[in-house]
Amino acid sequence: MTLEFSPEARQRAETIIRRYPPQYKKAAVIPLLHLAQEEWGYISAEAMAYVATLIEAPPVKVAEVATFYPMFNKEPIGKYEIQVCHTLPCALTGCGRIVKHLCEKLNIQVGQTTPDRRFTLKKVECLAACDRGPVMLVNKTLYTNLTLEQVDDILNGLE
Amino acid sequence: MDASRCILTREMETIPNLTDIDIYIQHGGYQTVEKALKMMKPEEVVKAVTDSGLKGRGGAGFPTGRKWSLLANRFPRYLCCNADESEPASFKDRKLLEGNPHRVIEGMILTSYANGINLGYIYIRGEFFQIIEQMDRAFAQAYERGYLGKNILGTGFDLDLYTHPGAGAYICGEETGLIESLEGNRPYPRLKPPYFPAAIGLWQAPTIVNNVETMADVALVVEHGADWFKGFGTEDSTGSRLFGLCGHVKKPGLYELESTITLRSLIYDVGGGVRGDKKLKAVIPGGISAPVLTPDELDVTMEFGEMAKAGTMGGTGGVVVMDETVCMVDALLNISMFARHESCGQCTPCREGMPWINDMLRRIEQGHGRQEDIDLLLDVCFNIEGRTVCVFGQAPGVWPTRSFIVKYLPEFQAHIEQHKCVVLPVEESYLRKENVEMLGVGVFRAKNS
Ligand SMILES: Cc1cc2nc3c(=O)[nH]c(=O)nc-3n(C[C@H](O)[C@H](O)[C@H](O)COP(=O)(O)O)c2cc1C
Ligand code: FES
């Protein structure tokens, strides 16, 4: 096993683990997987094994969790992860146009990453911002009331 | 409507930087904690909440005081505040946490004190990145000011509260799924009985799971008293609630109102009516899982009881407005896509049923539907309902499917007969109330059983 957190991440991991009673360290698995994904961009088998050591659980226990939740990427994705909400309220306010525009602009299908590995395009379920649809997440930032022009501006504004 | 009741939203809208604890304290924040911990016994807090008639705002509308009184008499006990907010059309918890995090923390402290809890978590959906960070800061501030930690305000009461992130799964909103997820497992809901959280919850201990808005309301009850709280709304639905309007409505957004308002008034008076002054076709009144209502059925108040009488549910108070341009098959197809994606896969009727429903609807939408498909869809619904571990199978699965089909039958039939997508004019698209009753689901059930 070669993977290990940076000292800063290691410190954050310890803070996280301390939130749970010592006999229930396993509860820290989701926050630690988020941390791992921030560190390495995705959750590899090695990352799962490393997280398992932190919470003193068998690696399979971590794998069980990591493979269930949609937010954990099992393989590397682009620098910018674009997630467009496609649930009913956003569909009613035109998320379809946004997705189509992004597909054309980036020249990829939903679920794919651009060859330069800058963008990954995904659809997600409701982001709880339904009054401001259509909405999309770009990495951690939520953009609301989207128009096609705004989508262009947002993408152009990314380095 | 007495504007003085709109505390939660008014605070958020009129006080800048309310998320900062100093500003919050300047405006009277955390005084309820002083009051409760120093002057009230835990039982008195429980009594106030029971007397207030507060019903849970997480979807099921279960009386909060009653929930607390069901806690098994064992310690330790835990609190889980449910901020998973994944029910489509619901965005109230996000707004509350974004704008007024300390109100929620106050409610969590009061709830813990009332129920002998010394450790609690707020389970926040993973996509709420900034909210999780802000909540961590808010907790840190509350620790600094001595509202959390050991020996709070010198009263001898200890309490630790932390955030816990989710990672994109709707099922974590279901209370036992939430608990499994928090424990570090796949969020497969537990069987009830015996696993009612109040009896056997987090780490097998008695646990309270309450929604974010419920927590904020607990703080209001303790601050102003049960009578004040009961002075708003009706006996069935006390206090006011956060209603969300979205879809084809002129003024989408979050509104804090008493439940005495009718759905029609909510859409037309508060929401300004249908966008582009188009005709109204359908309304989902309480989050996407609530059975759909036709334009004939909107003169019902937003009370939990009245909503149930109208055959739907108050749920999370998220209202979806659909205008005449919407294809009802398409709309249901969208919902079924969600249900298919979010089924956790633990039990067979739901894991297999959701894709079936979704596939059949796609077939009908694309013009390849067969006459028998409608009965088959209802049959699948029948075989899911009541046969699953949790309510998910019904909630975004059976309830929307059955209500869309039964109420908008002409539109489904037109798709099948004409072998293509046909959006019927509003007048022809749905069955009038009388016919709906005649066509009652019981007919299909009787046939199928
Ligand atoms: C499939 C499913 C999803 C749910 N999602 C949520 C949710 O996101 N937030 C929430 O507060 N309650 C949700 N609930 C309701 C919870 O199970 C629970 O009843 C609620 O959190 C209790 O809080 P309350 O009594 O304050 O309403 C969900 C229930 C089901 C069956
Ligand atoms: S439907 Fe898109 S944010 Fe809720």
Side-chain angles (χ1 to χ4, degrees), chain B residues 196-424:
Chain B
F196 288 107
I200 313 173
L202 183 61
W203 301 310
Q204 308 292 312
T207 301
I208 288 179
V209 183
N210 268 140
N211 173 258
V212 168
E213 188 188 347
T214 312
M215 290 292 92
D217 279 341
V218 165
L220 291 182
V221 169
V222 174
E223 182 173 347
H224 301 279
D227 285 336
W228 173 87
F229 193 82
K230 264 195 307 200
F232 302 97
T234 63
E235 207 181 321
D236 170 73
S237 303
T238 57
S240 59
R241 287 183 64 196
L242 298 175
F243 293 108
L245 278 176
C246 63
H248 295 140
V249 61
K250 281 188 190 155
K251 292 190 276 180
L254 191 72
Y255 300 95
E256 189 172 5
L257 298 162
E258 294 178 70
S259 305
T260 43
I261 191 165
T262 63
L263 185 52
R264 191 179 302 282
S265 171
L266 181 59
I267 294 168
Y268 285 95
D269 300 333
V270 178
V274 182
R275 205 178 270 188
D277 291 318
K278 293 210 171 69
K279 276 190 207 153
L280 180 69
K281 186 160 187 178
V283 180
I284 304 177
I288 213 94
S289 301
V292 67
L293 296 176
T294 66
D296 287 352
E297 299 176 307
L298 306 183
D299 296 304
V300 50
T301 69
M302 298 302 286
E303 292 162 78
F304 288 107
E306 292 303 305
M307 280 280 148
K309 270 189 231 157
T312 180
M313 61 176 195
T316 61
V319 177
V320 188
V321 176
M322 289 178 259
D323 74 19
E324 57 190 325
T325 63
V326 177
C327 164
M328 297 314 281
V329 181
D330 201 18
L332 182 60
L333 178 63
N334 182 296
I335 297 174
S336 70
M337 199 66 218
F338 174 82
R340 176 185 195 145
H341 184 250
E342 297 297 340
S343 170
C344 78
Q346 177 179 209
C347 57
T348 314
C350 180
R351 182 187 61 242
E352 303 299 321
M354 299 305 151
W356 263 59
I357 291 177
N358 182 234
D359 287 342
M360 275 192 285
L361 286 168
R362 174 158 294 118
R363 187 159 78 202
I364 294 174
E365 222 284 314
Q366 292 176 343
H368 308 301
R370 306 165 309 185
Q371 277 301 337
E372 59 270 31
D373 279 352
I374 290 178
D375 265 351
L376 193 54
L377 273 165
L378 292 168
D379 192 36
V380 173
C381 287
F382 174 72
N383 283 304
I384 295 170
E385 191 165 41
R387 290 164 168 79
T388 51
V389 172
C390 80
V391 189
F392 180 94
Q394 268 109 301
V398 171
W399 291 332
T401 307
R402 185 182 282 154
S403 65
F404 268 71
I405 293 177
V406 170
K407 289 188 181 167
Y408 293 87
L409 193 58
E411 192 150 321
F412 282 79
Q413 283 169 331
H415 276 73
I416 292 174
E417 278 153 19
Q418 298 178 36
H419 299 291
K420 59 175 194 215
C421 176
V422 255
V423 181
L424 291 185

Side-chain angles (χ1 to χ4, degrees), chain B residues 89-274:
Chain B
S90 311
F91 42 90
K92 64 193 183 66
D93 299 340
R94 172 199 276 278
K95 294 234 162 142
L96 206 45
L97 290 173
E98 274 175 353
N100 209 348
H102 288 290
R103 191 47 101 174
V104 179
I105 297 180
E106 228 180 318
M108 289 177 73
I109 298 175
L110 296 167
T111 304
S112 304
Y113 174 69
N115 294 290
I117 290 168
N118 305 108
L119 177 58
Y121 300 91
I122 177 166
Y123 187 106
I124 308 179
R125 63 178 294 184
E127 295 90 342
F128 284 1
F129 298 100
Q130 283 88 358
I131 293 177
I132 296 173
E133 284 171 19
Q134 173 169 296
M135 208 64 198
D136 280 334
R137 277 196 302 276
F139 279 135
Q141 289 183 325
Y143 272 101
E144 278 167 28
R145 302 297 188 289
Y147 295 115
L148 285 176
K150 294 259 174 280
N151 191 17
I152 297 172
L153 306 174
T155 60
F157 175 60
D158 302 339
L159 176 63
D160 286 309
L161 293 179
Y162 303 107
T163 59
H164 183 97
Y170 172 81
I171 199 62
C172 296
E174 199 280 339
E175 53 191 7
T176 59
L178 183 152
I179 288 171
E180 283 288 332
S181 176
L182 218 164
E183 286 186 4
N185 305 317
R186 284 191 168 196
Y188 292 152
R190 299 171 174 176
L191 268 179
K192 295 187 267 186
Y195 291 103
F196 288 107
I200 313 173
L202 183 61
W203 301 310
Q204 308 292 312
T207 301
I208 288 179
V209 183
N210 268 140
N211 173 258
V212 168
E213 188 188 347
T214 312
M215 290 292 92
D217 279 341
V218 165
L220 291 182
V221 169
V222 174
E223 182 173 347
H224 301 279
D227 285 336
W228 173 87
F229 193 82
K230 264 195 307 200
F232 302 97
T234 63
E235 207 181 321
D236 170 73
S237 303
T238 57
S240 59
R241 287 183 64 196
L242 298 175
F243 293 108
L245 278 176
C246 63
H248 295 140
V249 61
K250 281 188 190 155
K251 292 190 276 180
L254 191 72
Y255 300 95
E256 189 172 5
L257 298 162
E258 294 178 70
S259 305
T260 43
I261 191 165
T262 63
L263 185 52
R264 191 179 302 282
S265 171
L266 181 59
I267 294 168
Y268 285 95
D269 300 333
V270 178
V274 182

Side-chain angles (χ1 to χ4, degrees), chain B residues 5-159:
Chain B
R5 175 57 187 88
C6 295
I7 291 193
L8 297 175
T9 42
R10 202 183 54 221
E11 284 179 337
M12 299 198 281
E13 281 157 14
T14 56
I15 307 175
N17 302 323
L18 189 63
T19 54
D20 183 341
I21 197 165
D22 290 323
I23 307 283
Y24 186 70
I25 292 172
Q26 267 171 32
H27 288 85
Y30 286 101
Q31 272 170 23
T32 59
V33 175
E34 302 252 359
K35 174 172 154 188
L37 268 58
K38 291 182 175 165
M39 281 144 53
M40 293 169 84
K41 293 204 191 74
E43 308 83 77
E44 288 174 314
V45 179
V46 178
K47 184 165 183 321
V49 171
T50 308
D51 290 348
S52 75
L54 169 62
K55 287 186 176 169
R57 307 308 201 209
F62 193 82
T64 306
R66 198 147 105 238
K67 179 178 274 188
W68 295 3
S69 69
L70 292 173
L71 270 185
N73 193 15
R74 305 190 271 131
F75 297 86
R77 296 166 165 181
Y78 300 109
L79 170 66
C80 299
C81 175
N82 191 341
D84 190 56
E85 186 154 76
S86 319
E87 171 77 359
S90 311
F91 42 90
K92 64 193 183 66
D93 299 340
R94 172 199 276 278
K95 294 234 162 142
L96 206 45
L97 290 173
E98 274 175 353
N100 209 348
H102 288 290
R103 191 47 101 174
V104 179
I105 297 180
E106 228 180 318
M108 289 177 73
I109 298 175
L110 296 167
T111 304
S112 304
Y113 174 69
N115 294 290
I117 290 168
N118 305 108
L119 177 58
Y121 300 91
I122 177 166
Y123 187 106
I124 308 179
R125 63 178 294 184
E127 295 90 342
F128 284 1
F129 298 100
Q130 283 88 358
I131 293 177
I132 296 173
E133 284 171 19
Q134 173 169 296
M135 208 64 198
D136 280 334
R137 277 196 302 276
F139 279 135
Q141 289 183 325
Y143 272 101
E144 278 167 28
R145 302 297 188 289
Y147 295 115
L148 285 176
K150 294 259 174 280
N151 191 17
I152 297 172
L153 306 174
T155 60
F157 175 60
D158 302 339
L159 176 63

Side-chain angles (χ1 to χ4, degrees), chain A residues 19-21 24 26-27 29-30 34 61 64-65 67-71 86 88 92 125-128 130-131 140, chain B residues 89-91 94-95 121 125 130 163-168 181-187 203 246 248 334 338 342:
Chain A
R19 293 175 177 178
Y20 307 94
Y24 303 124
K26 206 179 71 183
V29 61
I30 292 183
H34 278 302
K61 216 43 233 183
E64 228 175 59
V65 171
T67 52
F68 182 89
Y69 292 93
M71 279 181 76
H86 70 138
L88 185 61
L92 293 174
E125 302 295 353
C126 181
L127 292 167
C130 329
D131 56 332
K140 291 185 175 183
Chain B
S90 311
F91 42 90
R94 172 199 276 278
K95 294 234 162 142
Y121 300 91
R125 63 178 294 184
Q130 283 88 358
T163 59
H164 183 97
S181 176
L182 218 164
E183 286 186 4
N185 305 317
R186 284 191 168 196
W203 301 310
C246 63
H248 295 140
N334 182 296
F338 174 82
E342 297 297 340

Side-chain angles (χ1 to χ4, degrees), chain A residues 85 87 89-90 126-130 135:
Chain A
C85 169
T87 314
C90 279
C126 181
L127 292 167
C130 329
V135 306

